[in-house]
Amino acid sequence: MKTICLYFEIHLLNHLRRYRFFDIGADHYYYDDYENERSAQYLVETSYMPALDTLHTMLEQYPDTFRVAFSLSGIGIEQLEQYAPELIEKLQDMNSTGRVEFLAEPYSHGLASLIAPESFANEVRRQCDKIEELFGQRPTVLRNSSLIYDDEIGRLAARMGFKGVITEGAKHVLGWRSPHFVYHCPVASKVRLLLRDYTFSDDISLRFSNPQWEGYPLLADTFMRRITQLPDEEQVVNIFMNLAAIGIAQPLSSHITDFLHALPQFAGKDITFATPSEVIAHYPSVGPLSVPEAISWLDEERDLSPFLGNAMQKEAFNKLYSVAERVQIANDPLINEDWVYLQASDNFRFMSTKHTLVDDGRYIYSDPFDAFTNYMNILGDFLRRVQALYPDDIDNEELNSLLTTIRNQGDEIEQKNKTISRLQAKITKLKGSTKTEKKQGKA
């Protein structure tokens, strides 16, 4: 018996607007609301809703066999709540079947796991809170941005209480081993690793509609037969992809939804579907898998080069996260909001000078240097705001102490105000009683 673990990512970027050098210090609003609304509606109409309609139908038609998992970034949820709440409702309807799992991921879809572990943990907890609020599930499996993972991230996942992480089945990490087994993190043995089979996944998400591909046309019965023909001991096939692959990367005219819909039909008795947590519960680890250098799912090298492959990306990354601890200590609402949006990994991907397997375009930018310049203008203004609130001559420890004192004073003032309110209420009540007694005395 083979088990397919099918997972989809849902993420929408909060697009940055064109921000000039002369805007620094004069304008603190960084976002393109028109593009956010346009792109959200386009994604939902062209991809997300047709894909979810198909998956929902599969859940209803195959209650004994079909399962599916999703992860939603926090900023993606915000965009959907504002511009396409019907998609959230669709996911809630699917969740009511009891056969959908929602995974954890950083709220910002950012890169904090690589440099700011406390910030990363806070973001994951915030996204988990949002998932629980919307769907009544508390995620138990972690999916980092772009499936970024290394041993240290596995250790962080263990500290946060996750029982598993899904990541890329990178060939240079696996070596002779197969992605069709469950492994565990060598520095946190309780954390199970589910590895994406990029061949099966990319056959659907990248190559399905390409007439030049040797496997074209890809039919559901052929696809499922290939899975059954895997060696007997290889029992888990993890097919992970961006939901936008259905309808955008592979247009609806290619009959991609018909292909998806037919998969359970050809599963027969030899293939079943399971969510990540079900796979972890059913299949034991076959051994540790060491990942000393971070991997991702975005490029042929399966590394961080799409985000941090050139000097521009590294400069932007280092400058942004240079204030991570101060932002966390200060906990200012307006600063926090911009901090989340500026972390999104897409902002760094726009600066990439290399060709990647998944090319989502550069939005308003003419080239990587244009993306870098615009981002650094915005970042320059953001850093000035942080500096204005909390100057560099106050170190983090002193800042934390001052803010703690201020918060304690605020709590003390609030407690005193409550005491005053109670005493005023008692005085009012006593005055009322005295007036009543006087009236009764006169009577």
Side-chain angles (χ1 to χ4, degrees):
M1 174 72 76
K2 307 295 185 187
T3 298
I4 294 177
C5 182
L6 186 62
Y7 151 81
F8 294 95
E9 172 200 24
I10 299 177
H11 167 61
L12 294 84
L13 174 66
N14 190 350
H15 290 91
L16 302 178
R17 71 176 179 87
R18 179 63 70 178
Y19 193 89
R20 310 290 182 183
F21 175 79
F22 297 104
D23 291 326
I24 299 174
D27 188 345
H28 306 317
Y29 192 74
Y30 310 138
Y31 314 107
D32 188 337
D33 293 330
Y34 172 80
E35 178 58 23
N36 284 335
E37 182 174 8
R38 186 207 66 79
S39 60
Q41 292 178 348
Y42 173 76
L43 264 175
V44 168
E45 293 171 7
T46 308
S47 170
Y48 287 177
M49 192 58 81
L52 293 184
D53 282 339
T54 300
L55 293 167
H56 196 183
T57 300
M58 294 161 71
L59 286 166
E60 292 176 333
Q61 287 188 345
Y62 303 97
D64 296 330
T65 56
F66 188 65
R67 307 284 192 275
V68 67
F70 299 97
S71 71
L72 293 83
S73 68
I75 60 176
I77 292 173
E78 289 182 6
Q79 297 292 309
L80 292 173
E81 287 181 321
Q82 184 170 0
Y83 301 119
E86 67 274 16
L87 197 91
I88 299 291
E89 293 173 6
K90 166 59 74 172
L91 286 166
Q92 289 170 333
D93 289 342
M94 295 174 68
N95 183 47
S96 67
T97 65
R99 285 171 281 116
V100 174
E101 180 174 2
F102 292 93
L103 309 185
E105 72 163 80
Y107 194 93
S108 70
H109 198 74
L111 305 175
S113 60
L114 302 173
I115 195 171
E118 286 189 32
S119 181
F120 171 70
N122 288 338
E123 283 200 57
V124 171
R125 280 191 287 266
R126 182 181 176 191
Q127 188 262 3
C128 287
D129 291 343
K130 190 67 176 177
I131 292 296
E132 189 169 22
E133 174 192 328
L134 290 174
F135 306 109
Q137 291 188 29
R138 189 74 185 179
T140 60
V141 177
L142 174 66
R143 179 260 186 207
N144 197 11
S145 312
S146 299
L147 300 194
I148 291 172
Y149 176 80
D150 61 17
D151 292 339
E152 201 52 43
I153 293 170
R155 194 196 303 272
L156 290 175
R159 288 176 186 167
M160 288 185 279
F162 291 106
K163 62 185 181 183
V165 178
I166 71 170
T167 186
E168 179 72 352
K171 191 173 182 180
H172 69 276
V173 169
L174 281 167
W176 55 268
R177 289 165 292 194
S178 165
H180 304 143
F181 296 96
V182 175
Y183 297 90
H184 67 263
C185 174
V187 297
S189 60
K190 291 184 179 180
V191 173
R192 298 295 183 258
L193 303 179
L194 301 186
L195 307 180
R196 174 179 181 260
D197 183 311
Y198 60 79
T199 300
F200 282 117
S201 301
D202 291 350
D203 281 352
I204 300 173
S205 62
L206 297 183
R207 295 183 278 270
F208 181 82
S209 61
N210 180 7
Q212 306 303 317
W213 173 43
E214 61 181 11
Y216 179 87
L218 180 60
L219 303 177
D221 59 342
T222 304
F223 186 81
M224 298 301 263
R225 192 181 309 117
R226 286 168 52 195
I227 291 176
T228 60
Q229 290 171 350
L230 291 170
D232 290 343
E233 65 275 13
E234 299 185 13
Q235 297 182 330
V236 180
V237 179
N238 300 308
I239 299 176
F240 305 157
M241 68 189 77
N242 192 318
L243 189 62
I246 313 302
I248 294 181
Q250 308 306 321
L252 297 179
S253 60
S254 69
H255 301 288
I256 183 68
T257 52
D258 295 330
F259 168 83
L260 267 185
H261 183 266
L263 291 179
Q265 177 185 342
F266 292 101
K269 297 180 179 179
D270 298 320
I271 301 176
T272 189
F273 291 82
T275 63
S277 62
E278 289 173 337
V279 170
I280 289 168
H282 185 73
Y283 294 97
S285 168
V286 298
L289 182 70
S290 180
V291 187
E293 300 292 333
I295 57 175
S296 80
W297 73 348
L298 197 60
D299 196 36
E300 288 182 354
E301 285 84 2
R302 318 288 172 184
D303 60 12
L304 300 182
S305 57
F307 311 105
L308 298 173
N310 62 47
M312 295 183 297
Q313 293 168 309
K314 290 174 183 175
E315 180 179 354
F317 174 81
N318 289 329
K319 283 199 172 181
L320 174 66
Y321 284 103
S322 68
V323 295
E325 189 175 355
R326 297 181 76 78
V327 169
Q328 184 180 336
I329 292 170
N331 198 26
D332 178 84
L334 293 178
I335 293 293
N336 287 347
E337 183 177 47
D338 292 329
W339 168 250
V340 167
Y341 300 144
L342 292 177
Q343 286 187 79
S345 62
D346 313 71
N347 295 318
F348 300 93
R349 183 178 55 78
F350 290 145
M351 303 175 200
S352 178
T353 50
K354 67 180 295 187
H355 173 74
T356 61
L357 287 174
V358 181
D359 184 9
D360 294 329
R362 297 191 191 276
Y363 169 50
I364 61 172
Y365 307 119
S366 57
D367 54 46
F369 310 100
D370 185 30
F372 172 73
T373 300
N374 198 68
Y375 184 82
M376 293 304 285
N377 285 342
I378 291 172
L379 186 56
D381 183 79
F382 176 76
L383 295 177
R384 285 180 58 169
R385 288 166 56 205
V386 174
Q387 167 73 14
L389 283 172
Y390 315 108
D392 286 341
D393 55 6
I394 304 176
D395 63 30
N396 289 341
E397 186 174 343
E398 185 181 359
L399 174 61
N400 192 23
S401 176
L402 287 171
L403 291 174
T404 300
T405 301
I406 292 169
R407 292 187 189 109
N408 289 341
Q409 289 175 343
D411 292 341
E412 190 176 330
I413 291 169
E414 184 180 355
Q415 192 61 43
K416 287 180 178 178
N417 285 338
K418 288 180 180 178
T419 302
I420 291 168
S421 296
R422 284 197 300 270
L423 291 173
Q424 286 176 335
K426 284 184 179 180
I427 291 169
T428 302
K429 188 176 180 179
L430 288 171
K431 285 181 178 179
S433 299
T434 303
K435 288 180 180 178
T436 302
E437 290 172 1
K438 286 181 177 179
K439 286 180 180 180
Q440 290 174 346
K442 288 179 179 179

